Short mmCIF file of all heavy atoms in Angstrom, two decimals:
data_model
loop_
_atom_site.label_atom_id
_atom_site.label_comp_id
_atom_site.label_asym_id
_atom_site.label_seq_id
_atom_site.Cartn_x
_atom_site.Cartn_y
_atom_site.Cartn_z
N ASP E 608 6.02 8.67 8.44
CA ASP E 608 4.87 9.10 9.23
C ASP E 608 3.53 8.94 8.51
O ASP E 608 2.59 9.52 8.86
CB ASP E 608 5.08 10.52 9.72
CG ASP E 608 6.26 10.60 10.66
OD1 ASP E 608 6.50 9.63 11.43
OD2 ASP E 608 6.96 11.64 10.64
N GLU E 609 3.49 8.19 7.37
CA GLU E 609 2.17 7.94 6.73
C GLU E 609 2.02 6.32 6.56
O GLU E 609 3.02 5.69 6.43
CB GLU E 609 2.20 8.54 5.31
CG GLU E 609 2.18 10.02 5.28
CD GLU E 609 1.96 10.42 3.83
OE1 GLU E 609 3.05 10.53 3.09
OE2 GLU E 609 0.84 10.75 3.34
N TYR E 610 0.80 5.98 6.69
CA TYR E 610 0.54 4.56 6.59
C TYR E 610 -0.04 4.29 5.23
O TYR E 610 -0.98 5.00 4.75
CB TYR E 610 -0.43 4.07 7.70
CG TYR E 610 0.19 4.10 9.03
CD1 TYR E 610 0.26 5.16 9.86
CD2 TYR E 610 0.91 2.89 9.48
CE1 TYR E 610 0.92 5.17 11.05
CE2 TYR E 610 1.56 2.89 10.66
CZ TYR E 610 1.54 4.02 11.51
OH TYR E 610 2.16 4.05 12.74
N PHE E 611 0.46 3.21 4.57
CA PHE E 611 -0.05 2.81 3.26
C PHE E 611 -0.44 1.33 3.28
O PHE E 611 0.22 0.49 3.91
CB PHE E 611 1.06 2.96 2.20
CG PHE E 611 1.48 4.35 1.95
CD1 PHE E 611 2.57 4.95 2.66
CD2 PHE E 611 0.80 5.17 1.00
CE1 PHE E 611 2.98 6.31 2.47
CE2 PHE E 611 1.15 6.48 0.89
CZ PHE E 611 2.21 7.03 1.60
N ASN E 612 -1.47 0.93 2.55
CA ASN E 612 -1.83 -0.43 2.35
C ASN E 612 -1.04 -0.88 1.08
O ASN E 612 -1.38 -0.39 0.04
CB ASN E 612 -3.41 -0.49 2.09
CG ASN E 612 -3.88 -1.87 1.98
OD1 ASN E 612 -3.11 -2.83 2.05
ND2 ASN E 612 -5.17 -2.02 1.97
N ILE E 613 -0.07 -1.66 1.26
CA ILE E 613 0.88 -2.02 0.28
C ILE E 613 0.78 -3.53 -0.09
O ILE E 613 0.91 -4.36 0.81
CB ILE E 613 2.32 -1.67 0.69
CG1 ILE E 613 2.45 -0.20 0.98
CG2 ILE E 613 3.30 -2.17 -0.42
CD1 ILE E 613 3.76 0.23 1.63
N ALA E 614 0.63 -3.78 -1.42
CA ALA E 614 0.63 -5.16 -1.89
C ALA E 614 2.09 -5.41 -2.48
O ALA E 614 2.57 -4.56 -3.20
CB ALA E 614 -0.41 -5.42 -2.93
N TYR E 615 2.65 -6.61 -2.23
CA TYR E 615 3.97 -6.90 -2.76
C TYR E 615 3.96 -8.03 -3.68
O TYR E 615 3.17 -8.97 -3.58
CB TYR E 615 4.85 -7.26 -1.53
CG TYR E 615 5.26 -6.18 -0.58
CD1 TYR E 615 4.42 -5.84 0.44
CD2 TYR E 615 6.29 -5.42 -0.83
CE1 TYR E 615 4.75 -4.74 1.24
CE2 TYR E 615 6.70 -4.30 -0.09
CZ TYR E 615 5.85 -4.07 0.97
OH TYR E 615 6.23 -2.94 1.79
N ILE E 616 4.90 -7.99 -4.60
CA ILE E 616 5.15 -9.09 -5.55
C ILE E 616 6.56 -9.52 -5.33
O ILE E 616 7.45 -8.73 -5.56
CB ILE E 616 4.95 -8.66 -7.07
CG1 ILE E 616 3.57 -8.07 -7.26
CG2 ILE E 616 5.26 -9.88 -8.03
CD1 ILE E 616 3.39 -7.39 -8.65
N PHE E 617 6.73 -10.70 -4.83
CA PHE E 617 8.09 -11.28 -4.50
C PHE E 617 8.50 -12.10 -5.64
O PHE E 617 7.87 -13.07 -6.04
CB PHE E 617 8.06 -12.01 -3.24
CG PHE E 617 7.79 -11.21 -2.06
CD1 PHE E 617 6.43 -10.94 -1.58
CD2 PHE E 617 8.80 -10.71 -1.27
CE1 PHE E 617 6.17 -10.15 -0.56
CE2 PHE E 617 8.49 -9.92 -0.12
CZ PHE E 617 7.18 -9.62 0.20
N ASP E 618 9.77 -11.81 -6.14
CA ASP E 618 10.26 -12.53 -7.32
C ASP E 618 11.01 -13.79 -6.83
O ASP E 618 11.31 -13.98 -5.65
CB ASP E 618 11.23 -11.65 -8.13
CG ASP E 618 11.25 -12.11 -9.57
OD1 ASP E 618 10.89 -13.22 -9.98
OD2 ASP E 618 11.66 -11.22 -10.43
N LYS E 619 11.39 -14.64 -7.86
CA LYS E 619 12.02 -15.95 -7.54
C LYS E 619 13.29 -15.82 -6.75
O LYS E 619 13.79 -16.73 -6.04
CB LYS E 619 12.31 -16.75 -8.78
CG LYS E 619 11.08 -17.03 -9.59
CD LYS E 619 11.46 -17.72 -10.88
CE LYS E 619 10.18 -17.80 -11.76
NZ LYS E 619 10.42 -18.30 -13.10
N ASP E 620 13.96 -14.67 -6.83
CA ASP E 620 15.22 -14.46 -6.11
C ASP E 620 15.09 -13.73 -4.76
O ASP E 620 16.08 -13.40 -4.09
CB ASP E 620 16.18 -13.56 -7.01
CG ASP E 620 15.71 -12.24 -7.28
OD1 ASP E 620 14.59 -11.84 -6.83
OD2 ASP E 620 16.45 -11.53 -8.01
N GLY E 621 13.77 -13.50 -4.38
CA GLY E 621 13.46 -12.93 -3.09
C GLY E 621 13.35 -11.40 -3.14
O GLY E 621 12.95 -10.82 -2.18
N SER E 622 13.63 -10.77 -4.29
CA SER E 622 13.52 -9.36 -4.46
C SER E 622 12.03 -9.15 -4.58
O SER E 622 11.21 -9.99 -4.79
CB SER E 622 14.26 -8.85 -5.61
OG SER E 622 13.72 -9.45 -6.83
N TYR E 623 11.63 -7.80 -4.46
CA TYR E 623 10.16 -7.47 -4.47
C TYR E 623 9.98 -6.12 -5.07
O TYR E 623 10.78 -5.24 -5.00
CB TYR E 623 9.54 -7.66 -3.15
CG TYR E 623 10.09 -6.85 -2.05
CD1 TYR E 623 9.73 -5.53 -1.82
CD2 TYR E 623 11.07 -7.40 -1.14
CE1 TYR E 623 10.28 -4.75 -0.84
CE2 TYR E 623 11.68 -6.64 -0.21
CZ TYR E 623 11.25 -5.29 -0.01
OH TYR E 623 11.77 -4.57 0.98
N VAL E 624 8.76 -6.00 -5.56
CA VAL E 624 8.25 -4.62 -5.96
C VAL E 624 6.94 -4.53 -5.17
O VAL E 624 6.36 -5.50 -4.64
CB VAL E 624 7.96 -4.53 -7.49
CG1 VAL E 624 9.23 -4.56 -8.27
CG2 VAL E 624 7.05 -5.59 -7.98
N GLU E 625 6.43 -3.26 -5.14
CA GLU E 625 5.27 -2.93 -4.39
C GLU E 625 4.25 -2.12 -5.09
O GLU E 625 4.64 -1.33 -5.98
CB GLU E 625 5.73 -2.32 -3.06
CG GLU E 625 6.25 -0.88 -3.29
CD GLU E 625 6.83 -0.28 -2.01
OE1 GLU E 625 7.44 -0.92 -1.20
OE2 GLU E 625 6.56 0.91 -1.78
N HIS E 626 3.02 -2.17 -4.61
CA HIS E 626 1.88 -1.32 -5.09
C HIS E 626 1.29 -0.74 -3.87
O HIS E 626 0.73 -1.48 -3.03
CB HIS E 626 0.92 -2.07 -5.95
CG HIS E 626 -0.28 -1.36 -6.21
ND1 HIS E 626 -0.43 -0.19 -6.98
CD2 HIS E 626 -1.60 -1.54 -5.76
CE1 HIS E 626 -1.56 0.27 -6.96
NE2 HIS E 626 -2.36 -0.49 -6.20
N LYS E 627 1.33 0.60 -3.73
CA LYS E 627 0.56 1.29 -2.73
C LYS E 627 -0.88 1.56 -3.17
O LYS E 627 -1.08 2.15 -4.26
CB LYS E 627 1.25 2.57 -2.36
CG LYS E 627 2.57 2.50 -1.68
CD LYS E 627 3.19 3.85 -1.43
CE LYS E 627 4.55 3.76 -0.93
NZ LYS E 627 5.25 5.01 -0.90
N LYS E 628 -1.84 1.14 -2.45
CA LYS E 628 -3.25 1.26 -2.77
C LYS E 628 -3.54 2.79 -3.02
O LYS E 628 -3.16 3.54 -2.23
CB LYS E 628 -4.09 0.71 -1.68
CG LYS E 628 -5.60 0.71 -1.93
CD LYS E 628 -6.36 0.02 -0.83
CE LYS E 628 -7.83 -0.01 -1.07
NZ LYS E 628 -8.55 -0.62 0.01
N THR E 629 -4.11 2.98 -4.24
CA THR E 629 -4.36 4.39 -4.64
C THR E 629 -5.69 5.02 -4.21
O THR E 629 -5.88 6.22 -4.26
CB THR E 629 -4.24 4.51 -6.13
OG1 THR E 629 -5.28 3.67 -6.73
CG2 THR E 629 -2.84 4.06 -6.62
N HIS E 630 -6.67 4.12 -3.85
CA HIS E 630 -8.03 4.70 -3.47
C HIS E 630 -8.37 3.96 -2.17
O HIS E 630 -8.57 2.79 -2.17
CB HIS E 630 -9.06 4.34 -4.61
CG HIS E 630 -8.80 5.14 -5.81
ND1 HIS E 630 -7.82 4.90 -6.75
CD2 HIS E 630 -9.59 6.18 -6.31
CE1 HIS E 630 -7.93 5.77 -7.69
NE2 HIS E 630 -8.96 6.53 -7.52
N ILE E 631 -8.64 4.74 -1.15
CA ILE E 631 -8.90 4.19 0.19
C ILE E 631 -10.46 4.11 0.30
O ILE E 631 -11.15 5.10 0.04
CB ILE E 631 -8.35 5.07 1.28
CG1 ILE E 631 -6.82 5.28 1.12
CG2 ILE E 631 -8.68 4.49 2.68
CD1 ILE E 631 -6.00 4.04 1.06
N PHE E 632 -10.91 2.97 0.70
CA PHE E 632 -12.35 2.72 0.87
C PHE E 632 -12.79 3.67 1.98
O PHE E 632 -12.10 3.81 3.02
CB PHE E 632 -12.64 1.36 1.27
CG PHE E 632 -14.13 1.00 1.34
CD1 PHE E 632 -14.90 0.98 0.21
CD2 PHE E 632 -14.69 0.65 2.60
CE1 PHE E 632 -16.25 0.71 0.33
CE2 PHE E 632 -16.03 0.35 2.65
CZ PHE E 632 -16.76 0.38 1.56
N PRO E 633 -13.93 4.40 1.85
CA PRO E 633 -14.27 5.43 2.88
C PRO E 633 -14.29 4.92 4.28
O PRO E 633 -13.88 5.62 5.21
CB PRO E 633 -15.66 5.84 2.33
CG PRO E 633 -15.65 5.69 0.85
CD PRO E 633 -14.75 4.45 0.67
N ALA E 634 -14.79 3.72 4.50
CA ALA E 634 -14.92 3.12 5.84
C ALA E 634 -13.55 2.85 6.41
O ALA E 634 -13.44 2.77 7.63
CB ALA E 634 -15.79 1.90 5.86
N ALA E 635 -12.56 2.70 5.67
CA ALA E 635 -11.10 2.48 6.16
C ALA E 635 -10.38 3.71 6.34
O ALA E 635 -9.24 3.65 6.79
CB ALA E 635 -10.44 1.59 5.16
N ALA E 636 -10.98 4.86 6.03
CA ALA E 636 -10.24 6.13 6.20
C ALA E 636 -9.79 6.41 7.61
O ALA E 636 -8.85 7.05 7.86
CB ALA E 636 -11.13 7.27 5.72
N ASN E 637 -10.60 5.88 8.63
CA ASN E 637 -10.07 6.13 10.02
C ASN E 637 -8.92 5.22 10.43
O ASN E 637 -8.52 5.18 11.60
CB ASN E 637 -11.33 5.90 11.02
CG ASN E 637 -11.78 4.48 10.93
OD1 ASN E 637 -11.47 3.66 10.07
ND2 ASN E 637 -12.65 4.11 11.96
N TRP E 638 -8.36 4.51 9.48
CA TRP E 638 -7.15 3.71 9.76
C TRP E 638 -5.89 4.55 9.53
O TRP E 638 -4.79 3.92 9.49
CB TRP E 638 -7.16 2.45 8.89
CG TRP E 638 -8.16 1.47 9.15
CD1 TRP E 638 -9.13 1.48 10.10
CD2 TRP E 638 -8.38 0.29 8.39
NE1 TRP E 638 -9.87 0.38 10.08
CE2 TRP E 638 -9.54 -0.40 8.92
CE3 TRP E 638 -7.80 -0.23 7.24
CZ2 TRP E 638 -9.98 -1.56 8.46
CZ3 TRP E 638 -8.28 -1.39 6.72
CH2 TRP E 638 -9.33 -2.08 7.35
N GLN E 639 -6.01 5.77 9.33
CA GLN E 639 -4.79 6.74 9.12
C GLN E 639 -4.16 6.27 7.83
O GLN E 639 -2.90 6.50 7.75
CB GLN E 639 -3.89 6.66 10.31
CG GLN E 639 -4.58 7.07 11.64
CD GLN E 639 -3.65 6.93 12.81
OE1 GLN E 639 -2.48 7.19 12.69
NE2 GLN E 639 -4.17 6.47 13.95
N THR E 640 -4.77 5.77 6.86
CA THR E 640 -4.12 5.26 5.71
C THR E 640 -4.07 6.36 4.54
O THR E 640 -5.09 7.01 4.31
CB THR E 640 -4.92 4.00 5.12
OG1 THR E 640 -5.09 3.15 6.09
CG2 THR E 640 -4.10 3.34 4.02
N SER E 641 -2.86 6.48 4.03
CA SER E 641 -2.67 7.49 2.86
C SER E 641 -2.79 6.68 1.49
O SER E 641 -2.62 5.50 1.51
CB SER E 641 -1.28 8.09 2.96
OG SER E 641 -1.24 8.79 4.19
N GLU E 642 -3.06 7.46 0.55
CA GLU E 642 -3.15 6.90 -0.89
C GLU E 642 -1.83 6.91 -1.61
O GLU E 642 -1.14 7.96 -1.58
CB GLU E 642 -4.25 7.56 -1.63
CG GLU E 642 -5.64 7.39 -1.02
CD GLU E 642 -6.70 8.19 -1.80
OE1 GLU E 642 -6.42 9.21 -2.43
OE2 GLU E 642 -7.82 7.69 -1.75
N GLY E 643 -1.52 5.82 -2.33
CA GLY E 643 -0.44 5.87 -3.20
C GLY E 643 -0.78 6.64 -4.43
O GLY E 643 -1.91 6.97 -4.61
N ASN E 644 0.21 6.83 -5.43
CA ASN E 644 -0.17 7.72 -6.54
C ASN E 644 0.43 7.14 -7.86
O ASN E 644 0.58 7.80 -8.79
CB ASN E 644 0.38 9.12 -6.33
CG ASN E 644 1.83 9.25 -6.11
OD1 ASN E 644 2.56 8.28 -6.25
ND2 ASN E 644 2.29 10.38 -5.78
N THR E 645 0.80 5.81 -7.84
CA THR E 645 1.27 5.25 -9.13
C THR E 645 0.62 3.86 -9.39
O THR E 645 0.22 3.13 -8.51
CB THR E 645 2.81 5.02 -8.98
OG1 THR E 645 3.13 4.04 -7.97
CG2 THR E 645 3.61 6.24 -8.88
#
């Protein structure tokens, strides 16, 4: 029930890791986006 702006890194075998954006730009706050914490 939370929305995150997530960037992915896909490895050669198709697996992936992700980064949840930690700081939301003020103008994008109305997109219901939550902040990641790592």
